[in-house]
Amino acid sequence: MRLSSHYRFLSVTTALVAICLVSPAVADDVIAQASSPDSTLSVKVYVNVEGKLSYGIERKGQAVIAPSRLGFILADSPKLDGQFAMQSQQTSSHDETWEQPWGERRFVRNRYNELRVNVVQKAYDNRRMTVVFRLFEDGVGFRYEFPEQAQLKTVRIVDEQTEFTVADNATAWWNLGGEWNNLEYSYNQTPLKEVGQANTPLTVKTDKGVYISFHEAALTDFASMWLRRTEGQTLKARLTPASFGPSVERLAPFPSPWRTLVITDNAPALYNSDLILNLNEPNKLGDVSWFKPSKYVGIWWEMHLEKSTWAQGPKHGATTANTKAYIDFAARNGFRGVLVEGWNKGWDGQWYGSGKDFSFVEAYPDFDLKAASAYGLKKGVHLIGHHETGGNIALYESQMEDAFKLYAAHGVDSVKTGYVTDGGAAQFPKPGGGTHYGFTDSQEGSRHYTKVLETAAKYKIAINSHEPIKDTGLRRTYPNWVSREGARGQEYNAWGNPVNAPEHEANLVFTRMLSGPMDFTPGVLSLEGNKREILSTQAKQLALYVVLYSPIQMAADLPENYAKYPKPFQFIKDVPVDWSESSMVAGEVGDYAVIARKDRNSEDWYMGGISDDQWRSVDVPLSFLDPAKNYTAQIYRDGNKADSKGPARFDIVIESKTVTAKDVLALKMAPGGGTAIRFVPKK
Ligand code: NOJ
Ligand code: CA
């Protein structure tokens, strides 16, 4: 007895010494806790001896996120990190189902328990801060609220202290954040311990089989968050720097974006989560039925192949005559939109990273906006507008109102925007005149993208941003933000140096696609870039329409190439872009994914499967089909010799089968391959 209590005394002393030496890492008292409605996930909030706040997450009683820090460093006020004491806490439960105007599914259930932790810093005039946690069945979101208070009227955030320490050894799928090529880096698969500075969504799988996707939701008027690994398996929030002063400067009261963790025990459940959308505010725009989810073609791939130019000259692509030819092609094949890039002044000379000569209202002499749009509208085809800024946000903002007004006057109801410049080199307006350089994912970048949406919405115009700030689910609040780029898309297959790897899309679907729709522009059936072959089979190009969700989808290839492949082209004509239900039915991060979706406007189902650089055989139960119906499955699959390289890319088998909900389909997908299926109920 005596001996053991003596030892206990010793070890307590050791612990106290340890606290004094390395105190920030030691989490002490649990001051609040909560669990998800079904008790799968739980959160504990701690305060240590120095009053530092941290949180930890458990899944089914096992630690997933070890105690990890919370807080901020401010520019002109003591840190919001330490000296905290609990003031009060509240819990509440929510369960509602809301309807999406368009999307992967029509109805979304939003069911969570909320924990509000109100803390106070007695040493600093009783400054207050609130951390709000929302616990869902499949993840956790938390955010900070800065209340209105005399002690901290304007909050100037230099650094966010939020950390995410993954408890078990994990593998990560991630790409670089905060570098010159913005969001357009290839994905890495490495031990979590080898991550540098990453974008989000960043996905990890632990050795115990737990999957976590780290991201953020509702990023408005705030700097975007990169994740920098500090040590071991700890990722720390790194706010995009501002050009001058703190990363974030705002008048209280305001909330931070949600820091989100989707946490599941299988890869498809990561994809099937609605957590990001649920953490966004409801629709602010009201009726957006003027936005028509649809497919489009356009004057685009031909420029990337260098067959024509954006600039003026003998090879100018955006002529009235060429536009009319695309309109005819669109009308013949049932596409609603024709994108026209290079119609406006400013493309001559060096436009990227400069944009100084762009006019968003003046056309080149060989393009007649009025005539081209009227020609289209007669045939039920709408021009899709294009605003490439070259990163010159200042110039764009000065013309934005007139630019949208002009398009609206000509029946153009969706616009693709672009910001081609290096990370940190976008030009923002300086208050009082002039410009300065900055990141598009900075706080002022986030303000700009919102301003574009609000201005476009006034004219009933939908936005597809290229070189965007990352998607954080704002399409729920602004349903005219219909798609965006924000990753390596098909254009890299035109340029080469290098083309996208065969596993690129199998990485995308478990990273970038967890944030929202992507304008990837699939469907290049010629499988040829500018002198380089695309490392994909034809069947995979079709499958991407189902796998990479977007309510607008381009048929990116040249019309003459579609003329060569009428049979696979049929799938591109058939596939819808708006769904009543969607579900990933099989998949593994970076390896393969199979997604089933039901058309919002018919009883048809569709399925898309993609593989990485390996042959995959996946058995897929068709239990999603209506058990009372028989279906014809129109199957577009890789042939037995299909491969990601050479002539074998064109080895496609197109066949029909009668199937029911009781059947199990064996999908065989080649390296760089895939399968696309349309299920039509039999009469
Ligand atoms: C980059 C965009 O991603 C691409 O689609 C567009 O054609 C060029 N910029 C020119 O705006
Ligand atoms: Ca791009």
Side-chain angles (χ1 to χ4, degrees):
M1 274 293 279
R2 276 189 59 131
L3 204 66
S4 73
S5 63
H6 178 69
Y7 272 107
R8 231 167 56 212
F9 170 76
L10 266 185
S11 65
V12 168
T13 318
T14 319
L16 281 175
V17 170
I19 285 168
C20 299
L21 294 176
V22 291
S23 52
V26 179
D28 270 9
D29 297 343
V30 175
I31 57 164
Q33 52 188 310
S35 43
S36 60
D38 62 347
S39 300
T40 303
L41 296 172
S42 61
V43 164
K44 286 194 177 94
V45 183
Y46 310 87
V47 159
N48 78 359
V49 284
E50 293 182 327
K52 286 183 187 285
L53 270 185
S54 58
Y55 74 100
I57 302 176
E58 290 181 1
R59 184 175 192 280
K60 298 195 170 160
Q62 302 288 314
V64 173
I65 299 295
S68 300
R69 281 174 73 171
L70 297 165
F72 293 94
I73 309 280
L74 305 178
D76 49 0
S77 197
K79 335 192 240 193
L80 277 169
D81 149 21
Q83 309 272 11
F84 283 116
M86 179 70 148
Q87 192 188 38
S88 63
Q89 58 176 295
Q90 296 92 33
T91 53
S92 56
S93 297
H94 300 258
D95 191 0
E96 48 153 9
T97 296
W98 56 279
E99 187 174 354
Q100 299 203 78
W102 49 267
E104 301 99 312
R105 54 184 63 83
R106 184 153 168 206
F107 297 105
V108 178
R109 186 168 182 195
N110 186 13
R111 178 169 175 243
Y112 61 88
N113 287 340
E114 182 174 283
L115 167 67
R116 300 179 59 82
V117 183
N118 308 303
V119 289
V120 60
Q121 288 180 305
K122 296 220 171 83
Y124 303 118
D125 272 349
N126 288 320
R127 284 191 319 186
R128 286 169 294 122
M129 181 178 84
T130 298
V131 191
V132 184
F133 292 87
R134 287 195 185 163
L135 292 100
F136 300 78
E137 196 177 324
D138 58 5
V140 175
F142 64 90
R143 73 177 180 190
Y144 301 88
E145 289 179 4
F146 300 89
E148 195 174 341
Q149 54 191 330
Q151 313 90 308
L152 194 58
K153 285 191 171 144
T154 301
V155 183
R156 296 187 179 86
I157 300 172
V158 174
D159 192 22
E160 178 170 336
Q161 304 297 85
T162 307
E163 289 181 349
F164 308 87
T165 300
V166 176
D168 291 312
N169 269 340
T171 303
W173 288 262
W174 60 285
N175 67 357
L176 276 177
E179 279 305 324
W180 72 269
N181 205 16
N182 296 303
L183 305 175
E184 300 184 5
Y185 286 91
S186 294
Y187 288 88
N188 308 305
Q189 175 185 342
T190 68
L192 175 56
K193 289 194 176 87
E194 290 172 16
V195 169
Q197 179 161 284
N199 275 319
T200 69
L202 171 150
T203 300
V204 308
K205 180 185 179 188
T206 71
D207 291 352
K208 295 203 174 126
V210 175
Y211 296 75
I212 314 171
S213 162
F214 296 93
H215 191 43
E216 56 184 311
L219 166 60
T220 48
D221 203 355
F222 209 88
S224 182
M225 177 182 75
W226 302 318
L227 289 177
R228 180 191 279 174
R229 197 181 58 83
T230 49
E231 55 181 341
Q233 297 212 124
T234 299
L235 300 167
K236 180 182 170 297
R238 167 97 181 104
L239 297 179
T240 303
S243 311
F244 308 100
S247 287
V248 176
E249 176 162 346
R250 271 181 82 170
L251 266 183
F254 69 95
S256 74
W258 294 94
R259 277 61 186 98
T260 62
L261 305 94
V262 178
I263 304 169
T264 67
D265 62 3
N266 64 87
L270 279 184
Y271 184 82
N272 294 333
S273 173
D274 290 313
L275 180 140
I276 301 289
L277 282 176
N278 278 330
L279 288 171
N280 275 271
E281 298 297 317
N283 181 353
K284 267 192 185 173
L285 302 181
D287 177 22
V288 288
S289 57
W290 44 264
F291 167 62
K292 308 291 181 207
S294 47
K295 286 171 291 188
Y296 69 101
V297 293
I299 302 178
W300 183 75
W301 187 241
E302 57 176 70
M303 270 99 79
H304 289 275
L305 293 184
E306 295 176 21
K307 286 185 188 301
S308 65
T309 59
W310 285 274
Q312 296 188 94
K315 283 168 67 185
H316 185 215
T319 63
T320 312
N322 196 21
T323 307
K324 286 184 175 173
Y326 271 91
I327 290 171
D328 293 341
F329 176 75
R332 269 201 312 277
N333 294 290
F335 297 109
R336 183 180 188 270
V338 171
L339 169 69
V340 185
E341 293 199 3
W343 67 278
N344 57 321
K345 290 187 180 163
W347 293 91
D348 310 316
Q350 157 94 28
W351 56 268
Y352 46 92
S354 148
K356 62 182 179 14
D357 300 321
F358 278 128
S359 165
F360 301 94
V361 291
E362 290 169 284
Y364 279 137
D366 53 358
F367 182 73
D368 184 338
L369 177 60
K370 191 169 171 207
S373 63
Y375 183 81
L377 291 176
K378 269 203 313 230
K379 300 190 169 210
V381 175
H382 293 245
L383 294 189
I384 295 177
H386 187 228
H387 291 159
E388 172 58 61
T389 66
N392 198 330
I393 286 172
L395 184 76
Y396 184 35
E397 288 194 351
S398 73
Q399 297 182 32
M400 206 157 74
E401 188 84 38
D402 292 340
F404 286 118
K405 197 183 283 175
L406 174 73
Y407 268 144
H410 291 100
V412 174
D413 54 11
S414 78
V415 171
K416 169 177 170 178
T417 60
Y419 301 84
V420 180
T421 190
D422 287 357
Q427 295 172 66
F428 290 91
K430 215 189 239 165
T435 61
H436 68 87
Y437 294 96
F439 283 98
T440 46
D441 26 12
S442 62
Q443 181 184 17
E444 61 181 341
S446 90
R447 285 184 180 153
H448 166 73
Y449 290 98
T450 308
K451 190 169 175 177
V452 173
L453 292 177
E454 288 173 341
T455 313
K458 279 204 295 194
Y459 296 98
K460 298 197 159 86
I461 288 177
I463 295 296
N464 164 22
S465 337
H466 277 232
E467 298 80 41
I469 196 165
K470 65 181 161 183
D471 196 344
T472 56
L474 283 171
R475 63 181 154 137
R476 181 176 179 193
T477 314
Y478 300 99
N480 67 328
W481 205 347
V482 297
S483 199
R484 77 184 80 197
E485 193 184 40
R488 284 171 73 105
Q490 184 91 276
E491 61 188 18
Y492 281 83
N493 288 332
W495 311 334
N497 295 325
V499 295
N500 291 329
E503 64 268 25
H504 178 58
E505 295 88 353
N507 286 327
L508 267 189
V509 73
F510 292 101
T511 50
R512 161 68 182 81
M513 300 313 292
L514 302 182
S515 74
M518 178 173 178
D519 187 37
F520 180 87
T521 69
V524 177
L525 298 183
S526 55
L527 301 176
E528 206 63 48
N530 194 0
K531 299 178 204 81
R532 283 183 186 82
E533 58 184 43
I534 299 180
L535 304 178
S536 158
T537 67
Q538 265 192 347
K540 186 182 200 177
Q541 288 296 311
L542 304 180
L544 292 175
Y545 285 91
V546 182
V547 172
L548 301 180
Y549 169 70
S550 173
I552 53 163
Q553 289 280 21
M554 186 175 208
D557 211 342
L558 307 178
E560 61 257 40
N561 289 337
Y562 287 127
K564 288 184 208 155
Y565 305 106
K567 286 187 179 149
F569 185 44
Q570 186 60 43
F571 184 83
I572 300 179
K573 294 200 270 185
D574 291 340
V575 67
V577 290
D578 198 18
W579 310 98
S580 54
E581 289 174 55
S582 288
S583 177
M584 185 181 286
V585 290
E588 203 44 74
V589 184
D591 294 345
Y592 68 96
V594 182
I595 297 179
R597 306 191 193 271
K598 186 175 186 219
D599 181 13
R600 218 186 254 214
N601 301 303
S602 79
E603 290 302 306
D604 293 356
W605 279 85
Y606 283 77
M607 195 159 89
I610 56 164
S611 178
D612 57 356
D613 56 353
Q614 312 274 320
W615 269 103
R616 305 263 168 204
S617 181
V618 186
D619 288 337
V620 182
L622 302 183
S623 48
F624 52 86
L625 296 174
D626 181 343
K629 293 189 168 96
N630 289 331
Y631 293 81
T632 305
Q634 301 166 6
I635 303 171
Y636 303 73
R637 64 172 175 86
D638 293 325
N640 292 339
K641 301 217 167 71
D643 192 16
S644 62
K645 293 191 190 92
R649 293 169 299 149
F650 295 90
D651 184 8
I652 187 168
V653 175
I654 302 174
E655 61 192 4
S656 279
K657 259 190 197 168
T658 300
V659 297
T660 71
K662 288 203 193 104
D663 290 322
V664 175
L665 268 192
L667 303 192
K668 289 207 167 56
M669 302 183 287
T675 305
I677 308 178
R678 178 187 186 186
F679 299 93
V680 185
K682 291 198 169 201
K683 295 270 150 51

